[in-house]
Structure formats: C-alpha cells, structure tokens
Amino acid sequence: ARAAGGALEAALAAGAGRYCWAPERMPRLAIGHSLGAKLQVLLRCGKEETTPSMRNTLGVGLIAFNNFGVSDSVRLLRETLRAFQGNAVGGADGFWESVLEPALGRAARASGLEFSPGPEELLELVRKKYRGTGHTRAFRFDADALDCSDELLDALADRGAPSADASFLDGSHLSPVLVGLQDVTQAAGQRGASVGDGVAGRVANRVGERFAGATIGDEAELQRLVDALVAWVDEVKVA
C-alpha cells in the first residue's frame, strides 16, 4: 500500500512538473478492484503526510472488495478458471470444491504466508483510523463469492464514516476484467521476439489460431459496472 501511494505521489509530481498541473486543486477519486480496493482502504488508514494527495479525495470506489486471507483467496483461482471456461465447469466444479480448493487452502496455511494486515486487523484499522473524505461506495456483484463489503461497511459504520453505501450489480468477482485473447497472444509473441525466444512466439501464434476472437469476461457486465461508476462520479461531483 505504501508503494502504491508513493507511486501515485510521484506520478502527480511528474505531471505537475511536465504539464503544469496543480495537484492541490485537482478533483480526485480513488478506485480499486479486489485486493486493489483493499490497498485503497489501507491508504486511508495510514499517515496523511505519506500520501498528501489523498486529503481532498471526493470519493472512494471499492469494486468487489476482497479482504480474505491467503488460504481463502484460492477461490479467486476458481473464479478465473470459470472465466476461461465460460462458466461451464460441469463435473469439474464438484472436484474443485471437494478436493482441490481444500488442498490448496491447507497448503497456503502450511506455508505460513499471509497478507498483512490480516482480515480482522484491517477491519480494526478501519474502525480506528479510516479517514476517507467524501463518499465511500462499495460496488458488489451478486455472484461474487469473494466480496467482503458487508464487513467493511459495518466497520465504517463503527468508525462513524459520514457517507458509505453499496451498489449492487449482476456479475461475478471478475466482471471488471475483459481481455481479448488475441491481444494477449500478440503481446506474448512480441515479448518473445524481444528476448529472442522463438518458442514463446510460436506458442502465442498457436493459441491465437485456436482461439481467434475469443475473450475472457462479459462485456455486458463490464458495461453495467462502467455505467454505475459514471453515475457515482456524477453523484459525488454535485454532493
């Protein structure tokens, strides 16, 4: 979170120097998806002097806020596989639930790896230190098994946040993601060529031929999210 905040401050400073921006007068909105939303929350629980550009934020948009630990976040892999397979996992879904997901969860716990702060620690930070200015909105999807917005909104209420609410949308945790496989394979081929690896280029070409025109994600779901974000921006502009 500190690295992300520092990168933002550096980008604003660079823009001010190159384009004569006046960052102190620029209206700002903070938006993040999944663990990116968690980073946005953490930035608002830290010290103001480390991220001065956060002081006058008009609003904070948290898309599919994810506050799970490492062992529970293996579910994100399942969501990703569903996106690749067009939500048609069939019998494999039962095998994932009964065998693979528990096994991956145990492996993650045994590794000793964990996000820091952990889920409960983050919520406690929100209750004590969250300083989000303006309007905080959680954007939630009806089929999202990773969303933790309820717990966050409860913590914000305990904090006495003046304006925090939720928008409900059709979709899943990966609804904000829309990727054309042709674009991915072209990028992989170019990367392979740049490092002199003909194998990467050949694999990219084979994938491109097999899945030409295919996409990962749902354009209609993404468009509904964009519409909801635009409506929210209009709200905070007139608030």
Side-chain angles (χ1 to χ4, degrees):
R2 286 191 293 270
L8 172 62
E9 298 301 325
L12 286 172
R18 182 175 299 178
Y19 305 111
C20 298
W21 292 351
E24 70 279 1
R25 296 200 299 271
M26 292 173 63
R28 276 153 294 190
L29 292 162
I31 299 175
H33 169 239
S34 189
L35 290 175
K38 184 171 183 173
L39 289 179
Q40 293 289 6
V41 171
L42 278 170
L43 286 170
R44 276 144 195 85
C45 295
K47 297 179 180 179
E48 284 197 30
E49 57 267 24
T50 61
T51 52
S53 65
M54 302 292 181
R55 292 174 186 163
N56 299 314
T57 305
L58 294 177
V60 182
L62 306 173
I63 303 168
F65 172 73
N66 177 5
N67 189 35
F68 279 113
V70 169
S71 61
D72 291 314
S73 290
V74 297
R75 277 181 273 181
L76 181 57
L77 176 58
R78 180 170 149 195
E79 296 270 351
T80 304
L81 290 174
R82 278 182 167 155
F84 271 98
Q85 298 175 357
N87 294 318
V89 292
D93 204 32
F95 179 71
W96 176 277
E97 288 184 351
S98 63
V99 179
L100 287 181
E101 187 172 320
L104 289 171
R106 287 193 297 271
R109 287 190 292 273
S111 72
L113 296 174
E114 187 51 273
F115 295 129
S116 179
E120 289 303 322
E121 186 181 359
L122 176 67
L123 294 175
E124 190 60 26
L125 282 172
V126 170
R127 294 185 187 100
K128 292 180 177 179
K129 297 185 177 181
Y130 188 85
R131 62 177 199 282
T133 57
H135 189 177
T136 299
R137 173 161 293 176
F139 295 87
R140 306 180 55 183
F141 299 100
D142 61 349
D144 186 356
L146 290 167
D147 188 273
C148 301
S149 298
D150 280 340
E151 296 91 338
L152 177 65
L153 290 171
D154 287 343
L156 288 171
D158 293 341
R159 173 66 173 162
S163 181
D165 56 20
S167 287
F168 298 87
L169 302 164
D170 294 334
S172 69
H173 195 77
L174 294 177
S175 289
V177 179
L178 183 66
V179 180
L181 288 184
Q182 184 175 0
D183 295 334
V184 174
T185 54
Q186 285 177 351
Q190 291 168 1
R191 172 62 178 167
S194 70
V195 297
D197 182 3
V199 175
R202 290 195 296 272
V203 171
N205 289 335
R206 290 290 298 276
V207 173
E209 292 168 2
R210 176 67 177 83
F211 299 102
T215 60
I216 300 169
D218 187 310
E219 189 170 359
E221 290 178 359
L222 177 59
Q223 186 59 56
R224 285 192 290 269
L225 171 61
V226 171
D227 292 342
L229 286 168
V230 170
W232 172 66
V233 171
D234 287 339
E235 286 180 34
V236 299
K237 281 168 53 180
V238 301

